Amino acid sequence: MDDAGLVKLLSPDGWALLQALPPYDERLALPIAERLQKEGLDPALVAAALTQSRLRLRARGKLGEFADGMLFTVHGLEQATRLEVAAHHARRYRDAGCTYVADLTCGLGADALAMAGIGLRVLATDVDETTAALATVNLRAFPEVQVRLGDGLALDLAAEGVDGVYADPARRTGTGRRVFDPRAYSPPLDEVLAVRGTVPALGLKLGPGLAHRDLPVDAEAQWVSADGEVVELGLWFGPLAPDGPGRSALVLRDGAAHTLRADPDGDDDAPPVGPVGGYLYEPDGAVIRAGLVGTVAHRVRGRLIDPTIAYVTSNALADRTAWHPLATGYRVLDDLPFGLKRLRTYLRERGVGRLTIKKRGTAVVPETLRRQLDLRGDAEGTVVLTRVAGQQRVLVVEPV
């Protein structure tokens, strides 16, 4: 949707139309558009309203009911922080004693919304005129937030009186291509890091793929997963990192938050490697990204099945509180060499018609394998395709 469409939506008639639309349904979008145009409404306004309705539906997964009163762009929604994660960001600032936070790259305003929601004042800036305008609309219910169009790095932070800074540098080019070099972020990572010389309470949201070698030594680096998906890497400095520098994982699942931090005694060091035992543990993606698979192995008194694979095994099932939900646990039913015919025969003999295929360290494409297996039967099963001691294996497992 172009800027002209957004302008139409911001008119009284456009806003009224958007609010009056029923929940978005792809099957009904065309009939609704045709009906509204027959009633004399501007086709461009109708298209803009239906586009926003569709984006609001998508945004509900990130922002819940707040999405129903917000405006979005496709790129802005992709960049927006999930509300559950933004709430954790906001609490860091509150717990550090911050009262006035500068959000240097506010985007559509998700993080500023969470901060204002717990009483923090926010100065939110964005260099893109359309984005800043939408953030102003999205944050209209929060007098604690001031939105400005401009370069957040150009702010005189001391003069503004802020005591906390937050930034989410753009990591895509104008064509949508992902940027991996921190120097090519917008703004560049080094320029944002320099802010901590003025305001020590600095927090950054970055992509989870940032290499450990690129982490500032004075940061708490926390990888975050939400319902099994790794969504970000947060870098926290000064009073926002009360436990000091280090690596940690935050796992958000089923409405609860669980944190795992690198052990100063070295329990996150490389664990031993050994044969597959009676139980298998699949660490959460945030745990893997944080380099804390060894910590999980220590907790379950286990070992790796291969030095290059992030699966942990143990002979006995560890106490659930030691690993859940930082990992998913399975009972190992069988350990087979990988072979299509052998696996097909094995599954047919057991009447497995519905199969969950997990993989790590193999080029096999699960959907292609599922077609090749030609599954038949009413039973359900789970297999793990992976390497064990350098050999391709199939582990038949069941959740515990």
Side-chain angles (χ1 to χ4, degrees):
M1 178 171 50
D2 57 19
D3 290 353
L6 289 171
V7 170
K8 291 179 182 293
L9 279 180
L10 291 173
S11 68
D13 289 343
W15 193 258
L17 172 61
L18 179 58
Q19 299 303 100
L21 288 174
Y24 187 81
D25 185 329
E26 187 71 39
R27 298 166 300 176
L28 301 178
L30 182 58
I32 289 175
E34 292 174 343
R35 174 175 60 81
L36 292 174
Q37 291 177 38
K38 286 180 180 178
E39 293 174 359
L41 293 181
D42 180 355
L45 172 59
V46 172
L50 286 171
T51 296
Q52 280 301 314
S53 182
R54 175 172 54 82
L55 290 174
R56 282 179 169 183
L57 178 63
R58 287 176 52 191
R60 266 184 161 260
K62 282 189 170 184
L63 299 168
E65 294 182 359
F66 283 102
D68 295 342
M70 299 175 70
L71 294 178
F72 301 95
T73 61
V74 173
H75 175 68
L77 178 55
E78 289 175 351
Q79 286 286 104
T81 305
R82 294 169 183 248
L83 190 59
E84 182 182 18
V85 179
H88 280 271
H89 296 169
R91 286 193 286 270
R92 275 193 185 258
Y93 288 92
R94 182 196 61 192
D95 295 347
C98 298
T99 60
Y100 189 21
V101 180
D103 184 346
L104 305 184
T105 54
C106 70
L108 297 177
D111 276 290
L113 185 154
M115 292 177 190
I118 62 170
L120 298 176
R121 294 171 58 218
V122 184
L123 172 56
T125 66
D126 203 280
V127 295
D128 181 74
E129 184 174 5
T130 299
T131 301
L134 296 188
T136 301
V137 173
N138 294 341
L139 296 164
R140 64 193 182 280
F142 297 93
E144 302 89 349
V145 182
Q146 177 188 166
V147 180
R148 293 185 196 171
L149 171 63
D151 180 359
L153 286 177
L155 291 173
D156 185 336
L157 298 172
E160 296 288 352
V162 301
D163 52 11
V165 176
Y166 176 78
D168 177 7
R171 297 174 294 280
R172 290 184 183 273
T173 65
T175 60
R177 185 170 54 86
R178 194 177 297 276
V179 172
F180 296 98
D181 183 354
R183 295 169 296 182
Y185 293 171
S186 181
L189 180 58
D190 285 345
E191 294 184 19
V192 182
L193 290 174
V195 168
R196 68 194 191 278
T198 303
V199 182
L202 171 66
L204 300 179
K205 171 188 171 184
L206 302 176
L210 188 69
H212 286 198
R213 65 176 179 274
D214 293 326
L215 298 174
V217 295
D218 58 335
E220 178 190 351
Q222 184 174 80
W223 283 260
V224 182
S225 71
D227 295 324
E229 178 186 358
V230 183
V231 295
E232 69 171 54
L233 162 63
L235 296 185
W236 305 101
F237 299 89
L240 299 176
D243 295 325
R247 291 174 283 109
S248 64
L250 174 63
V251 177
L252 305 175
R253 191 182 292 271
D254 300 327
H258 306 266
T259 302
L260 183 66
R261 187 174 171 86
D263 194 314
D265 294 329
D267 286 341
D268 55 312
D269 292 343
V273 179
V276 176
Y279 296 89
L280 187 75
Y281 304 88
E282 180 182 24
D284 181 87
V287 173
I288 296 172
R289 293 276 192 174
L292 300 178
V293 174
T295 303
V296 172
H298 175 79
R299 286 190 171 198
V300 301
R301 298 182 180 180
R303 56 195 177 270
L304 296 179
I305 61 173
D306 186 279
T308 64
I309 302 296
Y311 278 125
V312 174
T313 188
S314 66
N315 296 334
L317 180 62
D319 188 298
R320 188 175 178 85
T321 59
W323 53 268
H324 181 79
L326 302 169
T328 302
Y330 300 93
R331 179 177 291 104
V332 179
L333 305 178
D334 265 310
D335 178 2
L336 314 169
F338 178 77
L340 179 60
K341 291 183 179 180
R342 179 185 293 106
L343 182 58
R344 182 190 296 128
T345 300
Y346 180 95
L347 295 172
R348 284 187 178 177
E349 288 176 349
R350 289 156 179 80
V352 175
R354 296 183 299 280
L355 185 67
T356 298
I357 302 175
K358 307 183 74 65
K359 55 167 279 187
R360 187 164 290 162
T362 176
V364 174
V365 178
E367 289 309 313
T368 300
L369 176 62
R370 186 175 283 104
R371 290 194 299 270
Q372 294 171 333
L373 289 173
D374 190 23
L375 299 169
R376 303 172 188 176
D378 298 325
E380 297 184 21
T382 301
V383 296
V384 176
L385 310 179
T386 189
R387 283 199 307 273
V388 177
Q391 302 297 315
Q392 295 292 322
R393 306 288 294 185
V394 179
L395 306 181
V396 183
V397 300
E398 64 179 8
V400 294

